[in-house]
Amino acid sequence: MKILSVNAGSSSLKFTLFEMPDEKVIVSGTFEKIGLESSIYTIKYNGEKIKKECVLNTHKDAVNVLMSELISMNIIKSYDEIEGIGHRIVQGADRFDKSVLVTDEVCKDIEELIPLAPLHNKAHLIGIESFKEVLNDVKQVVVFDTAFHQTMKESEYLYPLPMEWANKYGVRKYGFHGTSHRFISEFMNGYLKKDAKIISCHIGNGASICAIEDGKCKDTSMGFTPLAGLMMGTRCGDIDVSVVPYLCEKLNISAEQLVNKFNKESGLLAITGVSSDLRDVEDEYLKGNQRCVLGLDMYSKKIVNYISMYNTLLGGAEYIVFTAGVGENSPIVRGLVCDKLKAIGVEIDKDLNEEMFGKFGEISTSNSKIKVFVVPTDEEVMIARDTFDLVKE
Ligand code: ADP
């Protein structure tokens, strides 16, 4: 059965076509700059990468181009060979604790949650609608970034604010990257053949940490929005909110504009003054650039803070897992973090750490009290799995 895994953004659409249940990737790609003057799309197929420019006014145009490319590349003979489409949805709030088939009711819920994730949920709905228009009756499924975190207890997800703000306005911690953390949980528990106490560190451009026990989330670092928690590429993570009115006055900007700066002009980019891309920061760090030294010190300390907290919450973690762009590929960040975790008995093997790039493996020594692993995450396959499970019934 062919299942398409989709991530629709405000001007982009990423896709991966799977053969299920084999989980074989047939083709993948990205449409970018949808609605702008000229759009670009790339398709990866059979080890080759095709890049084309065209005009795509809407997401529906992108879906039409995608389908005709699949036909002309002989990947499918007719549209109905695609039997299910799974969409990544950023915000499901407390309404969804698992993936579900798309219905009018479900779309209404996602729409009602737009105020909690204005850019994301709106774009996801456009994605769902576009596939509905082009593929008529195809079954669609929604997979929420927040769903895995719905097992958090009140004591974890509530902010110490007036209760009615949580009840009336939904102001509480939701957590994000749930599909990735769930992948790590299922992968590790499958590998270990037991339900382990895991601290999953998804460190990419966006970054979050999740404490997992019995395959369930106990707590996670992101909050009401993906701005909270760790220091990230361009996001500040946790800060004292009193700086908001103070800076709005000093900079003469609105709270919304300031939060935009917290999201896009802060984090590693702000501290290093070099880049939000860790590869650039590492190049300068290795040359001794002091702002990059400071940046990576802060960046790794925030990760250490959350790992330490979750180690306590779990009553002693058994595994720390690094994943996503930085977690999978940066021995420097992993090294800086693990060096600071010596006090809780973490010890990594320097050579194993240096060798581990984008592949699965252990990097801790046999003496390490908490075992440290690198696991490449795969959110697309999780979306395809959930979609297949719901569509095949
Ligand atoms: P997101 O999905 O949040 O956009 P990714 O998980 O793709 O982010 O991670 C992107 C980050 O991973 C970037 O900061 C990038 O520099 C970093 N990264 C990717 N490859 C490497 C590498 N080989 N060494 C260090 N950092 C890397």
Side-chain angles (χ1 to χ4, degrees), residues 177 202-206 276-279 282 324-326 329-330 357:
H177 290 146
H202 177 113
I203 317 291
N205 241 325
S276 63
D277 192 303
L278 188 80
R279 283 165 288 203
E282 286 185 344
V326 173
N329 297 299
S330 173
F357 288 102

